[in-house]
Amino acid sequence: MPRRRRVPGPRRPAPTERRETVEEAADGDWVVRSITGSATAKTYRCPGCDQEIRPGTPHVVAWPAYARDSDLDPWDTESSADWRRHWHTACWRARDRRR
């Protein structure tokens, strides 16, 4: 029986690896994660336009880089994830012009 060998290719990140960035803005520091369309199975409501983000739609998830009004470490991103919201990418980029 022939032995199978894996051909090296681009490494796919493990599910536990998160591609997040911290963005500094006038409304605070935000942890931002880009979501691909294939990674979405639920419908969300965008806080920027109040429209649905349908399954299969690429978008971003953002939450404060630290829990507001708390004594937590300023970079405690796990506890502030309760503030996580799903945004259309364009709405997220335009949020400072909507207020």
Side-chain angles (χ1 to χ4, degrees):
M1 176 178 255
R3 195 168 167 197
R4 291 188 179 191
R5 191 171 65 110
R6 187 171 182 176
V7 177
R11 188 177 82 80
R12 208 175 218 174
T16 57
E17 289 183 46
R18 295 185 176 157
R19 300 197 184 265
E20 298 166 350
T21 59
V22 176
E23 295 182 9
E24 296 178 14
D27 59 348
D29 296 344
W30 295 88
V31 179
V32 180
R33 181 186 306 161
S34 294
I35 306 294
T36 63
S38 63
T40 60
K42 291 173 53 178
T43 299
Y44 299 97
R45 175 114 6 223
C46 175
C49 65
D50 200 36
Q51 299 297 311
E52 289 184 345
I53 301 172
R54 307 285 296 164
T57 304
H59 62 281
V60 298
V61 179
W63 63 94
Y66 56 90
R68 297 188 193 317
D69 302 324
S70 76
D71 295 333
L72 298 172
D73 180 38
W75 296 104
D76 184 5
T77 59
E78 292 303 315
S79 62
S80 62
D82 294 341
W83 294 85
R84 187 172 44 218
R85 298 294 177 263
H86 294 252
W87 294 71
H88 290 109
T89 304
C91 293
W92 174 253
R93 290 183 185 146
R95 76 187 185 287
D96 62 335
R97 294 188 298 270
R98 291 181 184 264
R99 296 175 193 242

